[in-house]
């Protein structure tokens, strides 16, 4: 079956521009996560969505970062006024219920480069 | 706060040799532990996980890991390395909460020499 998909696979932008990254989770998965993978910081949790509950935004690094999940499925991560330190691979994952024993299935990521 | 430490950012073994990747965790509550593998330009793939029950966990591709509470460790092993095992490996912990968010170690790059 289809896994987690992300688009675009690569994004190059200029400093100060806004970018939107998209994630399509596995059908039927109620939990969705965004992580960031960078050379200096490793893999960091950004945000978590579970059903209709308020998202856990505790990992967002600044108010330039926001995310939404429409209709309990597709999610968009938006970075406003991008900075060079935002350059990283942004990974999306989904799991069946959001319980911490659930396996998270990861997408291939979006590589963001801010010039 | 929970944390994960992976000893050795790079490990090199010969093909056919034992693979041992070390992971220690810190958690004030019973942890759920995961090993993920990442091949170049790909997302993360689950190798194995420990939730409850048997402390020796077997995963895909011949890997296994043992949860040792007294040592707060969850080391990953494979008896005989294959060239296709060359990748980056991440240990992660998910604490007993309702979010399931993962805290990752810094990763270990495994090189397999012919």
């Amino acid at each position: 079956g289809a896994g987690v998909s992300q688009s675009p696979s690569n994004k190059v932008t200029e400093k100060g521009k806004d970018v939107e990254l998209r994630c399509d989770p596995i059908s039927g998965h109620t939990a969705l996560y965004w992580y960031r993978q960078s050379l200096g910081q490793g893999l960091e949790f950004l945000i978590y969505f579970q059903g209709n509950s308020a998202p856990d935004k505790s990992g967002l690094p600044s108010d330039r970062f926001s995310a939404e999940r429409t209709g309990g499925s597709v999610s968009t991560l938006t970075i406003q006024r991008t900075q060079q330190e935002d350059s990283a691979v942004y990974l999306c994952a989904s799991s069946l219920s959001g319980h911490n024993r659930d396996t998270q299935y990861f997408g291939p990521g979006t590589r963001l480069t801010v010039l | 706060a929970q944390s994960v430490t992976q000893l050795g950012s790079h490990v090199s073994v010969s093909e056919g040799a034992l693979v041992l990747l070390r992971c220690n965790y810190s958690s004030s509550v019973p942890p759920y532990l995961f090993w993920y593998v990442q091949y170049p330009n790909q997302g993360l793939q689950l190798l194995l996980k420990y939730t409850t029950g048997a402390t020796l966990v077997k995963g895909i591709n011949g890997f296994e890991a043992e949860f040792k509470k007294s040592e707060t460790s969850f080391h990953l092993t494979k008896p005989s390395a294959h060239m296709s095992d060359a990748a980056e490996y991440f240990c992660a912990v998910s604490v007993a909460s309702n979010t399931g968010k993962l805290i990752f170690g810094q990763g270990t790059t495994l090189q397999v020499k012919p």
Side-chain angles (χ1 to χ4, degrees):
Chain A
V4 177
S5 61
Q6 295 185 243
S7 61
S9 55
N10 281 283
K11 176 71 177 179
V12 180
T13 191
E14 295 179 347
K15 178 182 173 181
K17 300 285 190 183
D18 297 352
V19 295
E20 285 189 351
L21 312 179
R22 176 188 167 104
C23 172
D24 246 300
I26 293 172
S27 178
H29 281 192
T30 62
L32 186 148
Y33 305 80
W34 283 97
Y35 294 88
R36 179 169 71 174
Q37 185 174 23
S38 58
L39 282 176
Q41 301 299 321
L43 270 159
E44 307 170 276
F45 164 81
L46 295 178
I47 189 169
Y48 158 77
F49 295 91
Q50 167 55 30
N52 296 321
S53 303
D56 176 355
K57 305 179 182 180
S58 60
L60 294 178
S62 78
D63 58 8
R64 295 186 296 104
F65 287 72
S66 64
E68 63 177 19
R69 189 179 185 191
T70 53
S73 181
V74 172
S75 176
T76 302
L77 177 69
T78 301
I79 309 173
Q80 295 178 310
R81 305 181 303 280
T82 52
Q83 304 294 312
Q84 288 183 333
E85 61 262 28
D86 300 334
S87 295
V89 176
Y90 290 82
L91 294 167
C92 176
S94 70
S95 71
L96 192 59
S97 70
H99 193 280
N100 54 312
R101 65 172 174 264
D102 286 352
T103 296
Q104 293 182 28
Y105 296 86
F106 284 79
T110 294
R111 182 175 297 277
L112 175 66
T113 303
V114 182
L115 301 177
Chain B
Q2 293 73 32
S3 65
V4 176
T5 302
Q6 291 183 239
L7 293 177
S9 58
H10 288 83
V11 170
S12 181
V13 300
S14 297
E15 191 173 19
L18 171 72
V19 176
L20 171 60
L21 303 182
R22 299 178 187 272
C23 173
N24 288 87
Y25 68 91
S26 171
S27 175
S28 58
V29 296
Y32 293 161
L33 296 158
F34 303 77
W35 274 101
Y36 280 87
V37 61
Q38 186 176 35
Y39 298 101
N41 299 315
Q42 294 186 28
L44 280 71
Q45 178 184 5
L46 180 73
L47 278 177
L48 49 79
K49 66 180 179 181
Y50 169 78
T51 55
T52 58
T55 56
L56 181 62
V57 181
K58 295 186 184 298
I60 62 171
N61 302 337
F63 284 94
E64 61 182 37
E66 186 170 10
F67 170 60
K68 292 188 176 180
K69 184 177 179 181
S70 61
E71 299 178 8
T72 61
S73 69
F74 191 56
H75 301 331
L76 182 71
T77 60
K78 181 175 181 177
S80 177
H82 192 273
M83 297 295 292
S84 61
D85 294 328
E88 189 161 20
Y89 292 79
F90 292 93
C91 182
V93 63
S94 178
V95 300
S97 69
N98 291 326
T99 69
K101 65 185 179 185
L102 295 173
I103 298 171
F104 287 90
Q106 289 298 309
T108 298
T109 299
L110 176 65
Q111 179 187 25
V112 182
K113 298 177 293 185

